[in-house]
Amino acid sequence: MGGGPSVPVVPLSRDRVVLVTGGNTGIGYEAAKHIAMMGASVIIACRSQTRASQAIRRMNEEFSASKEAGTLPEGINQTGRLAVDCMKLDLASLKSTMAFIEAFKASGRKLHVLLCNAGLAMLPRSFTEDGYETMFQVNYLGHFLVIAHLLPIMKTSGSDCRIVFSSSGAHMYSEWKFSESKIKAEDPSAYGRMLNYGTSKLFQIHHMYCLARRLKGTDISVTCLHPGIVRTEITRSFIDSTALAAMFGTFRMLGFTKTPLQGATTLIDAAVNPVWRGVSDVYLVDCKPSSTHSCARNKEYQEKVWKYSLECLKNYLPENVIESLEDRTTMAE
Ligand SMILES: NC(=O)c1ccc[n+]([C@@H]2O[C@H](COP(=O)([O-])OP(=O)(O)OC[C@H]3O[C@@H](n4cnc5c(N)ncnc54)[C@H](OP(=O)(O)O)[C@@H]3O)[C@@H](O)[C@H]2O)c1
């Protein structure tokens, strides 16, 4: 896919802390590497510490090689090693997600930018140890828990804080009507690989709108995006499906797919570009606001999903966390 927007280069202070879920490969890897090259301190939160450590090594090797070859993007003046660290986070387990949250809090770090990027796509029907449909928990609910607990840190971290969701154009293929049993995929006949993936991505957009209402008047913005069709490891789960593999192969053949860096460009832009400071409620495609499905903008539906999420996480959300999350003093009508 030729052309497209270029990766922005914005000088960032090492005091600026950026957390990228799923930063060990694909879109998250490129975003983590480029944001670290701009100077920020980046933490990649990953389910495999081995893969995370390998990714950090590779980021530094690629950075050094580009420096030596003189091919670093203009404006990148970092010396020494990139400030990238890793932490363990398995979003398919609420227990692991809580352990990550506790470790993050205990580290005493600030948090300025949270990129909710980790995800799985079009899995065959499966469930997490917590009993939820896997994509619902990994793509959506686990990130809900992380945000709920880390928002108080973001609120006191300083100016221009941002939350960005790697959503997807697949949200257009979800079911607009809220149904718990569909989310839980209790009925196998109601399960669809695209349908349930799309639903998890739709919920991320709902999450953006709900958070943005609650964060109005703060210096935390919330955006989401579709990265395009990107040649990453996301296709791992297509292996058992001839139809999905053929669909992706066709997109690739027709030149509709992007490299991981092209796919990461909108995520990097949303994370660092000063033009997005204080901007919420936008769904970005190729670094430009684009429209979401009408059901994504349905406020009643958004709040239903929010309420349902609080119910799912009630054993993990103490009263003070809910109070901070639901701080409606500045919430718009
Ligand atoms: N690629 C596309 O065409 C496309 C299109 C639209 C939206 N997106 C979205 O973009 C995001 C990034 O996707 P990608 O294309 O970069 O895919 P990817 O290469 O497969 O990377 C996904 C990342 O998520 C991590 N992850 C998966 N399950 C996890 C779990 N239980 N806990 C913590 N981390 C987990 C993976 O870790 P492991 O390496 O350990 O598996 C990996 O780091 C996803 O949210 C995806 O839905 C992608």
Side-chain angles (χ1 to χ4, degrees):
M1 195 119 169
S6 51
V7 181
V9 176
V10 178
L12 300 171
S13 141
R14 197 145 274 202
D15 294 338
R16 194 147 175 93
V17 182
V18 179
L19 175 61
V20 187
T21 67
N24 61 284
T25 189
I27 294 164
Y29 173 88
E30 293 296 342
K33 185 179 88 175
H34 281 265
I35 293 169
M37 290 198 313
M38 292 178 220
S41 294
V42 177
I43 300 139
I44 55 172
C46 307
R47 60 178 161 172
S48 157
Q49 271 172 324
T50 309
R51 275 168 70 77
S53 304
Q54 286 166 352
I56 294 175
R57 199 173 319 125
R58 187 154 71 87
M59 284 178 201
N60 277 294
E61 285 165 5
E62 289 171 356
F63 175 55
S64 298
S66 303
K67 239 187 325 194
E68 272 168 36
T71 54
L72 280 178
E74 206 177 317
I76 292 200
N77 313 310
Q78 290 305 300
T79 51
R81 283 180 68 76
L82 299 175
V84 186
D85 212 345
C86 63
M87 291 183 74
K88 167 119 179 115
L89 167 65
D90 182 355
L91 289 157
S93 157
L94 294 176
K95 204 168 135 208
S96 165
T97 306
M98 277 312 301
F100 161 77
I101 289 163
E102 292 310 332
F104 191 92
K105 285 183 188 166
S107 74
R109 285 177 164 111
K110 291 186 170 185
L111 180 58
H112 302 95
V113 181
L114 170 52
L115 304 184
C116 298
N117 165 78
L120 295 165
M122 294 172 245
L123 291 189
R125 181 171 169 263
S126 66
F127 297 90
T128 65
E129 64 185 31
D130 303 292
Y132 296 106
E133 188 278 306
T134 306
M135 292 183 291
F136 168 74
Q137 182 165 337
V138 172
N139 299 354
Y140 169 71
L141 193 66
H143 282 120
F144 191 112
L145 188 60
V146 171
I147 291 170
H149 280 274
L150 298 191
L151 257 183
I153 296 178
M154 291 188 91
K155 284 179 179 170
T156 57
S157 284
S159 57
D160 189 12
C161 292
R162 305 179 184 200
I163 299 172
V164 186
F165 294 99
S166 292
S167 180
S168 169
H171 82 274
M172 304 272 182
Y173 303 103
S174 64
E175 287 264 302
W176 74 270
K177 199 170 180 308
F178 181 80
S179 148
E180 261 185 48
S181 65
K182 285 235 167 64
I183 296 164
K184 290 182 183 161
E186 280 157 347
D187 171 8
S189 69
Y191 185 81
R193 291 169 74 155
M194 179 59 108
L195 184 76
N196 284 66
Y197 174 60
T199 300
S200 70
K201 294 289 155 183
L202 172 72
F203 286 1
Q204 290 184 308
I205 303 176
H206 286 144
H207 200 180
M208 169 188 75
Y209 285 118
C210 286
L211 279 170
R213 270 196 286 282
R214 289 160 173 84
L215 291 170
K216 216 172 166 71
T218 70
D219 204 359
I220 307 176
S221 63
V222 201
T223 53
C224 62
L225 58 93
H226 169 58
I229 304 169
V230 193
R231 300 188 295 276
T232 63
E233 295 190 50
I234 201 87
T235 51
R236 279 175 284 186
S237 52
F238 302 176
I239 277 166
D240 69 320
S241 165
T242 328
L244 287 175
M247 181 183 77
F248 198 83
T250 308
F251 287 145
R252 192 178 180 144
M253 219 169 57
L254 294 173
F256 292 163
T257 60
K258 294 180 175 180
T259 64
L261 179 56
Q262 288 168 332
T265 302
T266 304
L267 183 59
I268 299 168
D269 199 58
V272 305
N273 195 328
V275 301
W276 302 120
R277 179 174 183 172
V279 177
S280 282
D281 282 354
V282 290
Y283 170 73
L284 300 166
V285 180
D286 287 334
C287 303
K288 288 197 284 272
S290 186
S291 44
T292 52
H293 194 282
S294 58
C295 69
R297 300 188 302 274
N298 181 316
K299 188 174 166 189
E300 187 193 333
Y301 191 25
Q302 292 159 10
E303 292 295 331
K304 259 187 186 167
V305 178
W306 176 273
K307 204 168 146 210
Y308 176 68
S309 310
L310 291 179
E311 178 61 26
C312 293
L313 297 172
K314 64 179 178 219
N315 295 334
Y316 298 89
L317 294 174
E319 202 49 49
N320 62 328
V321 172
I322 295 184
E323 261 170 35
S324 167
L325 191 61
E326 289 288 12
D327 179 8
R328 289 165 184 265
T329 48
T330 51
M331 193 172 147
E333 283 307 302

